[in-house]
Structure formats: structure tokens, C-alpha cells
Amino acid sequence: MRDHDSERGESVLIVEDDEYLCSVLARILVNEGFRVVTAPDGESGLAKALDAQPDLVILDVGLPRRDGVALTRTLRARGFTAPMLMLTARAAVSDRVSGLDAGADDYLPKPFEYSELLARVKALLRRATLAAASTQLRVRDLLLDPITRKVEKGGRPVELTHKEYALLEYLMRNEGRPVTRQQIATAVWKAAPEPETNVVDVYINYLRRKLGDSRDDPLVRTVRGVGYMIKE
């Protein structure tokens, strides 16, 4: 199944082996303005979650090639922090507990009303946004406050443009994890980069200069063949 684009900032990954249900969910979410990526099994869901870094994951428990509980546990172990909504036809309380213990944020038994699923998706994204906004980000002597949008390096304020700030926040939220130029462009510019443009590299250089980055031990590192990473 192809991926679906829209103009909304939030992205949702649907991991569901029922092709009809997956198609319906994708259409509903796209109509609400979400960007949607889909995967038909646990292994491809794992790869897409780590690559696309969606804002939310909807996943079935009974997936082929890695079930939903195992997929959730693996993603959490790899530092994936986005909210996860688990779908299942299993009614036992123990099944729900297993999913939540593995790291799922919410649980919706099948069959369900699409309006309820949409409400839960929006509620999970609101909570994630509030939680993220209330936490200061720190890497070494670099501090970023998402509420005031102030940045300090070694206790001194750093003046950044809107895009420079968005780029720095994205890198700091993915601290220790390499991100590709495409991931950066999608998160910061809300669009895939044109093949011939080097806008991401240009803004990385702007950021490095304003942070006074050291060549010997830089905060913003180039990861050859991948992209960039900010690291402690």
C-alpha cells in the first residue's frame, strides 16, 4: 500500500495486515489532514517507524512477522518515544495489560467506531505535544526551552531564526540518533527536499556557526552516508 500525504504536520504510521481496514483508516486520517504511512507486518512496521519517525503509531496486536506487543517492546527499547495506539480483537484483560506493559499508550478493542479511534488519536497527540513542550532539552552545555523557545549555550543566549530553532529542536529531540536530510526537511520544512537543493546542509552550517561548534568535538555531527546527529 502506498503512503499518503497531506498538508498537516502530524504523521501517523498504521501497522495493520488487514488491507481493507488499513485502507479505511488511512483514508479517514488523511481526510482529517494527517500524513499517513502504512505497513502490513511487524518487520516492515519496525523499519518504517525507525526511518520515518512518525508522531503516532497505530498497530494491530495480531501482526505477521512480529506481533504488535513485540513490535512495541522493540521500538521502546530503541528509544522510540511517540505515542502508540494498539488495536486488537482479543478481549482478555491480560492481553490489554501485555500491550500496555510493552509500552503502548492506549488500547482499542475491535470492532470500534472510527470516530472513537480518531478522538483517541487526537488526544494522544495533544498529550504528547504538551509533554514535549513542558520538558527542557539539554545536550552538554546547550539548553533549549520549548515553552519560551530560548536557547542557551554555556549560559549565554543564542539568537536563532525560526527555521534554525526548529532544526535544533528536531536534532535535540533525536539526540544520539542519526537523522537523514529527508527526515530533517520533512520535520522542519514540512516537505521532502528537492533533489538538487542543499538547504538542509546550509542551515546545519548556520546552526554550527551560531553554536560556536568545535571541529574537534562538535555537537552537530555529520554521519557519513546518513545525515546528521547531535550527541552528548
PDB file of all heavy atoms in Angstrom, residues 216-232:
ATOM      1  N   ASP A 216      36.882  19.731  16.491  1.00  0.00           N
ATOM      2  CA  ASP A 216      37.453  18.540  17.126  1.00  0.00           C
ATOM      3  C   ASP A 216      36.386  17.688  17.812  1.00  0.00           C
ATOM      4  O   ASP A 216      36.446  16.462  17.772  1.00  0.00           O
ATOM      5  CB  ASP A 216      38.526  18.953  18.139  1.00  0.00           C
ATOM      6  CG  ASP A 216      39.707  19.651  17.483  1.00  0.00           C
ATOM      7  OD1 ASP A 216      40.006  19.324  16.311  1.00  0.00           O
ATOM      8  OD2 ASP A 216      40.299  20.531  18.122  1.00  0.00           O
ATOM      9  N   ASP A 217      35.421  18.337  18.457  1.00  0.00           N
ATOM     10  CA  ASP A 217      34.389  17.601  19.177  1.00  0.00           C
ATOM     11  C   ASP A 217      33.055  18.323  19.008  1.00  0.00           C
ATOM     12  O   ASP A 217      32.522  18.910  19.950  1.00  0.00           O
ATOM     13  CB  ASP A 217      34.761  17.509  20.661  1.00  0.00           C
ATOM     14  CG  ASP A 217      33.832  16.574  21.427  1.00  0.00           C
ATOM     15  OD1 ASP A 217      33.179  15.718  20.781  1.00  0.00           O
ATOM     16  OD2 ASP A 217      33.738  16.709  22.657  1.00  0.00           O
ATOM     17  N   PRO A 218      32.475  18.285  17.790  1.00  0.00           N
ATOM     18  CA  PRO A 218      31.267  19.076  17.510  1.00  0.00           C
ATOM     19  C   PRO A 218      30.020  18.510  18.181  1.00  0.00           C
ATOM     20  O   PRO A 218      29.915  17.304  18.408  1.00  0.00           O
ATOM     21  CB  PRO A 218      31.147  18.994  15.989  1.00  0.00           C
ATOM     22  CG  PRO A 218      31.786  17.684  15.647  1.00  0.00           C
ATOM     23  CD  PRO A 218      32.914  17.518  16.625  1.00  0.00           C
ATOM     24  N   LEU A 219      29.098  19.407  18.482  1.00  0.00           N
ATOM     25  CA  LEU A 219      27.781  18.984  18.946  1.00  0.00           C
ATOM     26  C   LEU A 219      26.996  18.382  17.792  1.00  0.00           C
ATOM     27  O   LEU A 219      26.402  17.318  17.903  1.00  0.00           O
ATOM     28  CB  LEU A 219      27.013  20.183  19.513  1.00  0.00           C
ATOM     29  CG  LEU A 219      27.118  20.485  21.006  1.00  0.00           C
ATOM     30  CD1 LEU A 219      26.514  21.845  21.292  1.00  0.00           C
ATOM     31  CD2 LEU A 219      26.433  19.413  21.822  1.00  0.00           C
ATOM     32  N   VAL A 220      26.984  19.114  16.676  1.00  0.00           N
ATOM     33  CA  VAL A 220      26.258  18.669  15.484  1.00  0.00           C
ATOM     34  C   VAL A 220      27.233  17.911  14.593  1.00  0.00           C
ATOM     35  O   VAL A 220      28.142  18.500  14.013  1.00  0.00           O
ATOM     36  CB  VAL A 220      25.644  19.861  14.727  1.00  0.00           C
ATOM     37  CG1 VAL A 220      24.851  19.357  13.518  1.00  0.00           C
ATOM     38  CG2 VAL A 220      24.742  20.679  15.649  1.00  0.00           C
ATOM     39  N   ARG A 221      27.033  16.632  14.499  1.00  0.00           N
ATOM     40  CA  ARG A 221      27.983  15.781  13.786  1.00  0.00           C
ATOM     41  C   ARG A 221      27.424  15.329  12.437  1.00  0.00           C
ATOM     42  O   ARG A 221      26.232  15.064  12.305  1.00  0.00           O
ATOM     43  CB  ARG A 221      28.323  14.546  14.619  1.00  0.00           C
ATOM     44  CG  ARG A 221      28.871  14.888  15.997  1.00  0.00           C
ATOM     45  CD  ARG A 221      29.333  13.654  16.720  1.00  0.00           C
ATOM     46  NE  ARG A 221      29.826  13.993  18.048  1.00  0.00           N
ATOM     47  CZ  ARG A 221      30.488  13.164  18.843  1.00  0.00           C
ATOM     48  NH1 ARG A 221      30.719  11.914  18.428  1.00  0.00           N
ATOM     49  NH2 ARG A 221      30.896  13.543  20.022  1.00  0.00           N
ATOM     50  N   THR A 222      28.307  15.232  11.479  1.00  0.00           N
ATOM     51  CA  THR A 222      27.939  14.647  10.185  1.00  0.00           C
ATOM     52  C   THR A 222      28.104  13.139  10.273  1.00  0.00           C
ATOM     53  O   THR A 222      29.152  12.644  10.695  1.00  0.00           O
ATOM     54  CB  THR A 222      28.846  15.194   9.065  1.00  0.00           C
ATOM     55  OG1 THR A 222      28.698  16.612   8.989  1.00  0.00           O
ATOM     56  CG2 THR A 222      28.467  14.582   7.717  1.00  0.00           C
ATOM     57  N   VAL A 223      27.059  12.417   9.907  1.00  0.00           N
ATOM     58  CA  VAL A 223      27.114  10.951   9.884  1.00  0.00           C
ATOM     59  C   VAL A 223      27.172  10.545   8.416  1.00  0.00           C
ATOM     60  O   VAL A 223      26.182  10.637   7.691  1.00  0.00           O
ATOM     61  CB  VAL A 223      25.888  10.336  10.575  1.00  0.00           C
ATOM     62  CG1 VAL A 223      25.999   8.812  10.573  1.00  0.00           C
ATOM     63  CG2 VAL A 223      25.747  10.869  11.988  1.00  0.00           C
ATOM     64  N   ARG A 224      28.333  10.146   7.970  1.00  0.00           N
ATOM     65  CA  ARG A 224      28.545   9.873   6.554  1.00  0.00           C
ATOM     66  C   ARG A 224      27.581   8.814   6.034  1.00  0.00           C
ATOM     67  O   ARG A 224      27.384   7.776   6.646  1.00  0.00           O
ATOM     68  CB  ARG A 224      29.983   9.432   6.301  1.00  0.00           C
ATOM     69  CG  ARG A 224      31.004  10.520   6.576  1.00  0.00           C
ATOM     70  CD  ARG A 224      32.377  10.150   6.064  1.00  0.00           C
ATOM     71  NE  ARG A 224      33.343  11.200   6.343  1.00  0.00           N
ATOM     72  CZ  ARG A 224      33.470  12.305   5.616  1.00  0.00           C
ATOM     73  NH1 ARG A 224      32.696  12.493   4.577  1.00  0.00           N
ATOM     74  NH2 ARG A 224      34.375  13.219   5.929  1.00  0.00           N
ATOM     75  N   GLY A 225      26.997   9.126   4.886  1.00  0.00           N
ATOM     76  CA  GLY A 225      26.065   8.205   4.268  1.00  0.00           C
ATOM     77  C   GLY A 225      24.680   8.210   4.884  1.00  0.00           C
ATOM     78  O   GLY A 225      23.785   7.511   4.415  1.00  0.00           O
ATOM     79  N   VAL A 226      24.481   9.026   5.929  1.00  0.00           N
ATOM     80  CA  VAL A 226      23.176   9.067   6.596  1.00  0.00           C
ATOM     81  C   VAL A 226      22.642  10.498   6.639  1.00  0.00           C
ATOM     82  O   VAL A 226      21.673  10.844   5.992  1.00  0.00           O
ATOM     83  CB  VAL A 226      23.253   8.494   8.035  1.00  0.00           C
ATOM     84  CG1 VAL A 226      21.874   8.548   8.696  1.00  0.00           C
ATOM     85  CG2 VAL A 226      23.770   7.073   8.012  1.00  0.00           C
ATOM     86  N   GLY A 227      23.293  11.341   7.428  1.00  0.00           N
ATOM     87  CA  GLY A 227      22.819  12.716   7.589  1.00  0.00           C
ATOM     88  C   GLY A 227      23.531  13.390   8.727  1.00  0.00           C
ATOM     89  O   GLY A 227      24.764  13.527   8.719  1.00  0.00           O
ATOM     90  N   TYR A 228      22.776  13.757   9.773  1.00  0.00           N
ATOM     91  CA  TYR A 228      23.352  14.488  10.894  1.00  0.00           C
ATOM     92  C   TYR A 228      22.837  13.941  12.223  1.00  0.00           C
ATOM     93  O   TYR A 228      21.813  13.277  12.284  1.00  0.00           O
ATOM     94  CB  TYR A 228      22.992  15.981  10.785  1.00  0.00           C
ATOM     95  CG  TYR A 228      23.599  16.648   9.564  1.00  0.00           C
ATOM     96  CD1 TYR A 228      22.829  16.870   8.424  1.00  0.00           C
ATOM     97  CD2 TYR A 228      24.940  17.020   9.538  1.00  0.00           C
ATOM     98  CE1 TYR A 228      23.370  17.458   7.304  1.00  0.00           C
ATOM     99  CE2 TYR A 228      25.490  17.621   8.422  1.00  0.00           C
ATOM    100  CZ  TYR A 228      24.704  17.840   7.311  1.00  0.00           C
ATOM    101  OH  TYR A 228      25.260  18.410   6.184  1.00  0.00           O
ATOM    102  N   MET A 229      23.586  14.300  13.291  1.00  0.00           N
ATOM    103  CA  MET A 229      23.202  13.861  14.621  1.00  0.00           C
ATOM    104  C   MET A 229      23.789  14.841  15.622  1.00  0.00           C
ATOM    105  O   MET A 229      24.896  15.342  15.469  1.00  0.00           O
ATOM    106  CB  MET A 229      23.745  12.448  14.883  1.00  0.00           C
ATOM    107  CG  MET A 229      23.580  11.955  16.316  1.00  0.00           C
ATOM    108  SD  MET A 229      24.174  10.254  16.527  1.00  0.00           S
ATOM    109  CE  MET A 229      25.934  10.448  16.193  1.00  0.00           C
ATOM    110  N   ILE A 230      23.016  15.119  16.661  1.00  0.00           N
ATOM    111  CA  ILE A 230      23.558  15.880  17.784  1.00  0.00           C
ATOM    112  C   ILE A 230      23.795  14.891  18.918  1.00  0.00           C
ATOM    113  O   ILE A 230      22.969  13.998  19.157  1.00  0.00           O
ATOM    114  CB  ILE A 230      22.586  17.010  18.205  1.00  0.00           C
ATOM    115  CG1 ILE A 230      23.324  18.054  19.049  1.00  0.00           C
ATOM    116  CG2 ILE A 230      21.358  16.493  18.911  1.00  0.00           C
ATOM    117  CD1 ILE A 230      22.578  19.354  19.197  1.00  0.00           C
ATOM    118  N   LYS A 231      24.956  15.014  19.548  1.00  0.00           N
ATOM    119  CA  LYS A 231      25.341  13.968  20.503  1.00  0.00           C
ATOM    120  C   LYS A 231      26.040  14.556  21.711  1.00  0.00           C
ATOM    121  O   LYS A 231      26.770  15.527  21.611  1.00  0.00           O
ATOM    122  CB  LYS A 231      26.254  12.938  19.828  1.00  0.00           C
ATOM    123  CG  LYS A 231      26.552  11.734  20.700  1.00  0.00           C
ATOM    124  CD  LYS A 231      27.197  10.623  19.928  1.00  0.00           C
ATOM    125  CE  LYS A 231      27.465   9.440  20.846  1.00  0.00           C
ATOM    126  NZ  LYS A 231      27.910   8.259  20.148  1.00  0.00           N
ATOM    127  N   GLU A 232      25.750  13.932  22.877  1.00  0.00           N
ATOM    128  CA  GLU A 232      26.347  14.333  24.148  1.00  0.00           C
ATOM    129  C   GLU A 232      27.861  14.201  24.086  1.00  0.00           C
ATOM    130  O   GLU A 232      28.378  13.267  23.492  1.00  0.00           O
ATOM    131  CB  GLU A 232      25.804  13.440  25.257  1.00  0.00           C
ATOM    132  CG  GLU A 232      26.200  13.867  26.663  1.00  0.00           C
ATOM    133  CD  GLU A 232      25.571  15.180  27.072  1.00  0.00           C
ATOM    134  OE1 GLU A 232      24.350  15.322  26.958  1.00  0.00           O
ATOM    135  OE2 GLU A 232      26.335  16.073  27.497  1.00  0.00           O
TER     136      GLU A 232
END
